[in-house]
Amino acid sequence: MAPSWFQILIVIVLLVLLFGRGKISDLMGDVAKGIKSFKKGMSEDETAAEDTNKTIEHQASETVETPNKETSGAKKAS
């Protein structure tokens, strides 16, 4: 069962009476600052992630020979 408009209006009136108009507007201002700060932080994280995702090109200067099964078996037998 969803609340009716009358019930929502009663809750709003009670909140204004309990906290006052000034506190509610201060609270909404703080919520707006928090949302702006969150969005700013998310955009900074995206730009930082783009900067850190750089590719590193590397060329091996030394090659390592892997032992062949035929030659390693012959060495063990002798």
Side-chain angles (χ1 to χ4, degrees):
M1 182 173 90
S4 68
W5 287 103
F6 185 69
Q7 291 171 335
I8 294 172
L9 182 65
I10 290 174
V11 170
I12 291 173
V13 169
L14 287 174
L15 287 174
V16 169
L17 288 175
L18 288 174
F19 297 109
R21 196 180 68 113
K23 279 204 176 218
I24 292 176
S25 64
D26 290 343
L27 180 67
M28 290 299 122
D30 291 341
V31 169
K33 286 179 187 176
I35 291 171
K36 287 179 186 177
S37 174
F38 177 75
K39 286 182 179 180
K40 182 180 176 185
M42 292 299 290
S43 67
E44 287 176 359
D45 286 346
E46 289 176 1
T47 57
E50 289 173 0
D51 293 341
T52 58
N53 289 338
K54 296 180 180 176
T55 58
I56 300 174
E57 296 180 16
H58 178 72
Q59 294 179 350
S61 59
E62 201 174 297
T63 58
V64 178
E65 294 182 25
T66 57
N68 197 353
K69 287 184 181 179
E70 296 172 1
T71 56
S72 64
K75 288 182 182 178
K76 288 182 184 176
S78 39

